[in-house]
Structures are given as structure tokens and as C-alpha cells.
Amino acid sequence: MARAATTADAFNAIAEVRRRQILDVLAGGERGVNDLVELLGLAQPLVSKHLRVLREVGLVQVREDGRQRMYRLNAQSLKPIHDWVSGYERLWSERLDRLDAVLKELKELEEQ
């Protein structure tokens, strides 16, 4: 089975760690490419390549500011990812609740 193109959707796009790092930075506010290069310690062509992918799937938006292109996170496009992960949140909560119960029992046994 052929692998889906990285520009197919947000899920594929964020599978790459550097793209997630870029999104993390942009969550703090709008940035230019040079800021991202400096903050992430990556080469400019690499940052631009990742920004292109993120822009194509709608995770970032760009605007012109003179000669500079400013990128910002498009948080609305993360909603499908949030919705998918939320389905597992209940599972984790239940597991953590059970772990808390076991730890409480162990603590009570230790105190006896």
C-alpha cells in the first residue's frame, strides 16, 4: 500500500516532528521564517519546506508584511486532530483513575 502524501491532510503533516515544533512556536504568535530558523536551529530551506506543507493542509496561514512573510497557526484546522484524540481521552482517564485506586490501596496497606 502506498503511503499517503504528506500534504494530504493535517494528520500526515503533523507526523513529522519538525512540523510539530513549528506549530508549537506559532502557537505563541505570528512569526517570520527567519524567526523560526533561529528558534528551531534549522536551515532556512528546511523551514520553508515544512511551512509549505503546513500551509497546503491549512495548518498555517501566511500574510505579506513588506518583504517578509509572516506565518500564524490556524488552530481551527487542528480540530479534526483534537476530535480524534478526544476519543481516547476517556480511555486514558479511566486508566489513570484505576492507577490512582491501586496507589491508594498500596499506600493504605503500607500505613497499616
Side-chain angles (χ1 to χ4, degrees):
M1 179 178 212
R3 185 173 172 206
T6 57
T7 56
D9 61 29
F11 290 93
N12 284 326
I14 66 164
E16 211 287 326
V17 67
R18 297 297 187 188
R19 293 184 197 135
R20 291 193 304 271
Q21 291 173 333
I22 290 171
L23 293 176
D24 288 344
V25 171
L26 294 178
E30 188 178 70
R31 298 279 184 167
V33 174
N34 291 336
D35 289 343
L36 292 167
V37 166
E38 186 175 318
L39 288 167
L40 298 172
L42 300 173
Q44 188 275 330
L46 186 61
V47 170
S48 293
K49 175 184 159 194
H50 288 310
L51 284 169
R52 180 183 52 79
V53 171
L54 293 169
R55 192 181 66 244
E56 287 177 358
V57 299
L59 289 171
V60 299
Q61 296 174 327
V62 63
R63 71 174 178 85
E64 303 290 331
D65 184 24
R67 296 175 60 183
Q68 193 172 18
R69 303 181 91 192
M70 301 299 290
Y71 291 86
R72 67 180 176 278
L73 177 68
N74 179 15
Q76 181 63 34
S77 62
L78 290 170
K79 188 166 182 349
I81 296 167
H82 174 268
D83 292 347
W84 182 76
V85 172
S86 294
Y88 294 93
E89 185 176 350
R90 184 174 51 92
L91 175 73
W92 281 104
S93 291
E94 289 171 0
R95 289 182 179 182
L96 291 173
D97 288 345
R98 287 194 311 237
L99 179 60
D100 283 343
V102 169
L103 291 173
K104 184 177 177 182
E105 287 176 22
L106 290 173
K107 186 176 180 181
E108 288 172 359
L109 287 173
E110 189 177 285
E111 291 174 353
Q112 291 176 359

